Amino acid sequence: MTTPHQATFFLELEASLADCPAGGLHMELRFREQPWWDSLAALTLLAVFDTTFGKPLPVEEFMKCETLADICRLA
Amino acid sequence: MSGLTDKRVAVLGATGAIGSAILGELHAAHAHTLAFARSPEKLASLSKIAAESYVVDLHKPEAWEAVVGANAPLDGLVIATGTLEILPFSVLTPEKFAETLGTNVIAPADFLRCLLRAKKLNTGASIVFIGSISGIRGAAGHAAYSASKSALIGLVRTLALELAPRNIRVNLISPGLVDEGMGAAFRAHVTPEQFAAYVGAYPLGAGSTADVAGAVSFLLSPAARWISGHDLVVDGGATLR
C-alpha cells in the first residue's frame, strides 16, 4: 500500500528525472541498476526526499538502500 | 611587511571557514579587524583575532545600517558571505533560486551600497568578494550557486569602474573546493568515491582556507594597488582542465 506522501514522492521524482520513463517507478525498483541512474539522479532523489518528507536523507543511509521501498522506509 | 598594519578591514561572513581564515590572516598582518556575522556565539570564538565584532544579518538592513553609521570608515572590506545548497535544476524552485541569489549577491551588494552612501570607505580602499570556480564553469547541482557567483563577476567589474575615480579597488577571488565549510557540506552530499574523484581533478591537490586567505590579503594590500575588476582564481589549477 502506497501512502499519499509516497505517491507524491514517486510523482515528483519521476517528473524531476529527465530520463526516467513515465510510470517507471515502483516500490521494488532497484534504482541503481536503471540506465537513467547517475550522480545527478542521486542528488535529485535526495532533494525530492527532503522536500516530500520534510527531512533530509543521510547519505550513509542512502548508500545502503537498494530499492525505492528501502528509501521510503527511511521517511 | 604586508602594508595592512592598522588598516581597518571588515570581514562579512567572518565565522565561516574561509571568513575566519581571512580574519586570522589579517590579524597576523596587524590589521585592525572588524568581524561581521549572524551568530553571536561563533563571533565570540573569534575574539582573539577580531578587534571589533558585530552581530548582523545581511537580510535585515535596519540592523546593520546603524552599525555602519556609527563606525569609522574602512580601508578594506571582504565579503565572504554565501550559501550553497546543492539542488539539481529540475528541483530548483523559484523560491530556492531567489534565496541563493539574495544571500550571495543582493544582500552583500546592499551592504556595500550602504557603506558607500554613508562615505564609510576611505580613498584607496580595497574590496574583495569571495566567489567560486562554480561561477566560471558549471557543476551539476550548482545552478543557483553558479549563477550567483557568475553574477558577482559582473558586479565586481562594474563596481571597479564606478569606484575607480575614488581610488577604490574591487576584486573577486574564485576559490576551488576547500575541504572545510561549504566544501565539507559538499562532501556530505556525495559518495566518498565521488568526492575523491572531485579532489583528484585538482592538479596541485586539495587546497585549504589559508590558500584563499593569502590571496585575499594580497588583494587588500598596497602591493595590489594597480589591480581592480580582476577575478583571481585560486584553485590549484583545477580550471585549467
Side-chain angles (χ1 to χ4, degrees):
Chain A
M1 185 70 181
T2 306
T3 68
H5 266 98
Q6 290 168 346
T8 302
F9 175 65
F10 277 35
L11 284 172
E12 181 60 24
L13 188 59
E14 182 185 303
S16 303
L17 294 169
D19 296 325
C20 176
L25 301 181
H26 55 84
M27 280 294 191
E28 299 313 315
L29 186 75
R30 303 179 79 83
F31 54 91
R32 297 183 198 282
E33 297 171 7
Q34 303 308 307
W36 44 262
W37 184 254
D38 58 15
S39 59
L40 191 59
L43 287 172
T44 302
L45 189 150
L46 290 168
V48 172
F49 183 96
D50 194 334
T51 52
T52 306
F53 297 115
K55 66 178 188 179
L57 174 56
V59 171
E60 58 271 24
E61 294 297 320
F62 169 59
M63 295 305 293
K64 298 173 191 167
C65 295
E66 295 181 358
T67 67
L68 290 178
D70 296 337
I71 298 280
C72 288
R73 272 192 283 274
L74 297 170
Chain B
M1 287 291 286
S2 67
L4 293 172
T5 301
D6 295 331
K7 297 291 185 185
R8 292 175 56 82
V9 184
V11 179
L12 268 64
T15 57
I18 288 179
S20 58
I22 293 167
L23 200 70
E25 178 87 12
L26 296 174
H27 173 73
H30 306 293
H32 183 90
T33 53
L34 296 88
F36 289 78
R38 280 183 300 183
S39 164
E41 294 80 18
K42 290 181 180 175
L43 266 177
S45 72
L46 301 175
S47 60
K48 289 183 179 171
I49 55 176
E52 301 175 36
S53 295
Y54 299 96
V55 178
V56 293
D57 182 340
L58 286 188
H59 293 290
K60 296 175 181 170
E62 65 282 1
W64 50 254
E65 279 172 354
V67 173
V68 167
N71 261 280
L74 300 171
D75 301 298
L77 172 66
V78 182
I79 297 173
T81 55
T83 184
L84 165 62
E85 186 170 7
I86 298 173
L87 284 176
F89 184 68
S90 63
V91 292
L92 177 62
T93 62
E95 292 77 17
K96 289 284 185 185
F97 206 159
E99 189 180 310
T100 298
L101 289 174
T103 300
N104 293 0
V105 184
I106 297 171
D110 199 27
F111 183 89
L112 177 55
R113 187 175 57 250
C114 178
L115 274 178
L116 290 165
R117 288 169 62 89
K119 318 295 185 209
K120 294 294 184 179
L121 283 171
N122 286 325
T123 298
S126 173
I127 300 163
V128 181
F129 283 82
I130 302 301
S132 165
I133 58 171
S134 286
I136 303 167
R137 64 178 191 185
H142 284 62
Y145 186 72
S146 292
S148 72
K149 295 302 185 179
S150 291
L152 287 181
I153 296 173
L155 178 66
V156 160
R157 288 180 176 164
T158 302
L159 287 174
L161 283 171
E162 290 194 10
L163 300 181
R166 294 162 65 179
N167 196 26
I168 294 174
R169 298 181 294 107
V170 189
N171 290 291
L172 176 76
I173 299 271
S174 287
L177 187 76
V178 293
D179 195 10
E180 296 165 68
M182 287 183 186
F186 174 72
R187 182 198 280 263
H189 276 81
V190 297
T191 66
E193 293 76 19
Q194 287 170 331
F195 189 78
Y198 196 90
V199 172
Y202 285 71
L204 291 177
S208 73
T209 53
D211 297 316
V212 180
V216 171
S217 182
F218 163 69
L219 286 175
L220 289 171
S221 77
R225 62 166 290 279
W226 212 38
I227 300 173
S228 195
H230 186 66
D231 177 12
L232 179 55
V233 177
V234 181
D235 69 346
T239 47
L240 296 173
R241 287 181 164 158

